[in-house]
Amino acid sequence: MGHVETPDSDISGPVGLRRLPRPRSTAPRNRATALEQLWRAPTAQRDLTDHLLPGRRTARRGTSLAGLTETVGMAVPAWAVLSSRGQPVALPTAVVAALVWAGVRAVRGRWTAGPQRSATGAVGVLGDWLVFVGLLAVAWAVAGDTVDPTVALVAAAPGGAVTAAVTSVVRRRARATHRRPVLRVLVVGEASGVDTVAGALGSRAQREGYAVVAAVPVGAAEPDHQVPLTGRLGADGTDDDVSTVLAGAYAYDVDLVLVAPGPLLCGDRLRRLGWGLQDGGIALCVLSALTGITTARVRPASVAGMTLLHITPPLRRGPQAALKSVLDRSGALAGLALLAPLLLAVALGVRLSSRGPVFHRQVRHGRHDRPFTMWKFRTMVVDAESRKAELTTANEGAGPLFKMRHDPRVTGIGRALRRTSIDELPQLLNVLRGDMSLVGPRPPLPEEAAEYDDRERRRLAVKPGLTGLWQVSGRSDLSWEESVSLDLWYVDNWSVSTDMNLLARTVRAVTDGRGAY
């Protein structure tokens, strides 16, 4: 039998064979119920309306009322604005806009009962509103110039504000009545596997819903992470793995045993451990070697007794790619029109604050490594490039990036523009031209792209973006490896809904200003 350790606290209750704690009662607990709901995949649709708990019925009524309020909140202000501006067919246009808005909210799951999706906050509302504006732009292009697009945007704004207010109320109530359970996890695997799981979940227990409370390493190696060890499995597989793991699971009252397979724990040994955990009433989860792939792209299948994972290829063409292109162009055009006064004011400020041109044009590499000229507001002195060599020793960037937190070449107004990312707004012209997208990886300089290896070069498989995961995750505070990993995740897993979510999160990132220098 493998070596077993128990925590300092006593184990209450009776013990069974080999003095192992007996399996826990089958009475449901909140965390176990949540895990079952997470994994359960019903094969047929069932009508559970008559069996809903009072709290669930209340939640469903609340989301229905929220949906009705949001729809009316879009229709009435839109009709009032269109009528006051003398627009033709004001009432039908307002009704259509309200129905489209309701469709966007419903399709994106905003009215699903429960706090996970019905209460997404102002950021989620902004993402939905951007999708809504894109659909209106398509409808306007098809229907012609029946309604002035500027007036239409003004008419749609109050509906977004009403929805944000309603969502805020729903969110507060959801927080008061729901709390996501955190599953207590026992990790079993070789030291490297334990470190991988503990490192990934260590600081994100509440957000991810998994908390590592103990570990059972396989072999003699010691994990680097400070995780309580409740036992150890031998490398040869002759120990009683099930007894050792169950002892730790019962001692730490875990909900889930997460196995990180490796050369010392695989095949028949892993299968027998799974049998023992199942008989002991403990849920089992196996860590996959696949990383950077969303669950939407994974389809499990059983073939000849083997469990296979089918991976769908990343989106490169098709309806979503076409819709992304339409949303990029229409969004860039709308952005340039709405932000024209701000762009003119910034251009005047840059021109008067220091000697030199208003815009800084720079060659960057885009999709398929094609060079293009990227536009930005000038934030540095005119001879910044010639002075770059003098500052090489002060470079704070990782990899091929050159970054300085306090770059002496940056002008006074340039620092403000960089902190708010307003200096990037002229890139809307690049989006309109088709060189860039609203969302995508950061466009590299030619010297950066020349140093890419095969893995890093995959970042160039899609158009670079005005914003992206790097923008909402820390910008210049990220290490080079973190930036590359985020960009590669986006390249392989992007979708239109992901783009809308990132656009909404960008507003919060720009307001926060972290990593912008």
Side-chain angles (χ1 to χ4, degrees), residues 259-293:
V259 176
L264 302 181
L265 184 58
C266 60
D268 187 63
R269 189 180 186 185
L270 177 57
R271 182 170 60 170
R272 291 181 180 277
L273 176 60
W275 289 343
L277 292 174
Q278 180 181 2
D279 293 341
I282 302 294
L284 170 67
C285 179
V286 179
L287 176 67
S288 171
L290 294 172
T291 58
I293 298 177

Side-chain angles (χ1 to χ4, degrees), residues 190-260:
E190 298 173 44
S192 59
V194 172
D195 287 333
T196 297
V197 176
L201 298 179
S203 60
R204 293 180 280 185
Q206 184 64 50
R207 186 176 66 189
E208 302 293 348
Y210 293 79
V212 176
V213 297
V216 178
V218 181
E222 293 289 337
D224 293 332
H225 279 77
Q226 298 299 316
V227 180
L229 304 183
T230 183
R232 184 180 298 276
L233 303 183
D236 54 9
T238 59
D239 294 335
D240 188 351
D241 296 346
V242 175
S243 297
T244 304
V245 175
L246 281 179
Y250 295 146
Y252 281 86
D253 192 29
V254 305
D255 305 292
L256 174 70
V257 170
L258 196 161
V259 176

Side-chain angles (χ1 to χ4, degrees), residues 384-402:
E385 289 298 325
S386 62
R387 294 172 56 184
K388 182 177 179 180
E390 305 172 4
L391 304 172
T392 303
T393 57
N395 182 20
E396 300 176 28
L401 293 178
F402 180 88

Side-chain angles (χ1 to χ4, degrees), residues 118-474:
S118 61
T120 55
V123 173
V125 173
L126 180 58
D128 295 344
W129 193 82
L130 291 174
V131 175
F132 171 68
V133 170
L135 293 175
L136 287 185
V138 174
W140 181 80
V142 173
D145 55 354
T146 303
V147 177
D148 187 335
T150 303
V151 176
L153 282 176
V154 174
V162 170
T163 298
V166 172
T167 302
S168 178
V169 174
V170 174
R171 200 177 189 187
R172 284 198 299 270
R173 292 183 177 179
R175 286 175 175 173
T177 57
H178 298 83
R179 178 173 294 180
R180 183 178 184 180
V182 177
L183 302 174
R184 298 171 59 84
V185 178
L186 172 69
V187 184
V188 180
E190 298 173 44
S192 59
V194 172
D195 287 333
T196 297
V197 176
L201 298 179
S203 60
R204 293 180 280 185
Q206 184 64 50
R207 186 176 66 189
E208 302 293 348
Y210 293 79
V212 176
V213 297
V216 178
V218 181
E222 293 289 337
D224 293 332
H225 279 77
Q226 298 299 316
V227 180
L229 304 183
T230 183
R232 184 180 298 276
L233 303 183
D236 54 9
T238 59
D239 294 335
D240 188 351
D241 296 346
V242 175
S243 297
T244 304
V245 175
L246 281 179
Y250 295 146
Y252 281 86
D253 192 29
V254 305
D255 305 292
L256 174 70
V257 170
L258 196 161
V259 176
L264 302 181
L265 184 58
C266 60
D268 187 63
R269 189 180 186 185
L270 177 57
R271 182 170 60 170
R272 291 181 180 277
L273 176 60
W275 289 343
L277 292 174
Q278 180 181 2
D279 293 341
I282 302 294
L284 170 67
C285 179
V286 179
L287 176 67
S288 171
L290 294 172
T291 58
I293 298 177
T294 60
T295 55
R297 294 179 53 208
V298 180
R299 180 175 61 84
S302 181
V303 178
M306 301 181 297
T307 300
L308 307 181
L309 298 178
H310 290 267
I311 311 298
T312 59
L315 293 172
R316 293 292 183 267
R317 58 180 60 88
Q320 288 218 52
L323 179 58
K324 178 183 175 72
S325 180
V326 171
L327 292 175
D328 281 342
R329 299 279 174 81
S330 59
L333 185 61
L336 288 171
L338 292 173
L339 298 173
L342 173 63
L343 297 176
L344 290 174
V346 172
L348 183 62
V350 172
R351 186 68 182 87
L352 296 177
S353 63
S354 62
R355 181 175 58 87
V358 171
F359 297 104
H360 174 63
R361 291 178 294 178
Q362 195 174 48
V363 175
R364 297 288 182 120
H365 280 224
R367 186 179 183 186
H368 303 320
D369 210 10
R370 294 172 183 164
F372 69 96
T373 300
M374 189 182 76
W375 290 67
K376 299 175 64 175
F377 281 120
R378 182 174 58 84
T379 59
M380 290 186 172
V381 295
V382 178
D383 59 343
E385 289 298 325
S386 62
R387 294 172 56 184
K388 182 177 179 180
E390 305 172 4
L391 304 172
T392 303
T393 57
N395 182 20
E396 300 176 28
L401 293 178
F402 180 88
K403 286 288 184 180
M404 287 184 63
R405 190 174 299 273
H406 303 290
D407 195 324
R409 301 172 298 167
V410 179
T411 64
I413 191 174
R415 296 190 188 281
L417 295 180
R418 287 188 171 200
R419 188 188 181 283
T420 57
S421 295
I422 292 177
D423 62 316
E424 310 280 355
L425 291 180
Q427 292 167 33
L428 290 171
L429 293 171
N430 292 114
V431 177
L432 196 60
R433 287 168 50 90
D435 297 325
M436 295 178 62
S437 174
L438 290 177
V439 182
R442 190 190 67 85
L445 292 164
E447 56 268 27
E448 295 174 8
E451 297 183 25
Y452 281 179
D453 57 24
D454 291 340
R455 172 175 174 267
E456 294 163 348
R457 192 164 295 279
R458 187 170 175 80
R459 300 170 74 242
L460 305 176
V462 299
K463 289 181 181 180
L466 181 63
T467 185
L469 272 173
W470 56 273
Q471 176 84 5
V472 303
S473 303

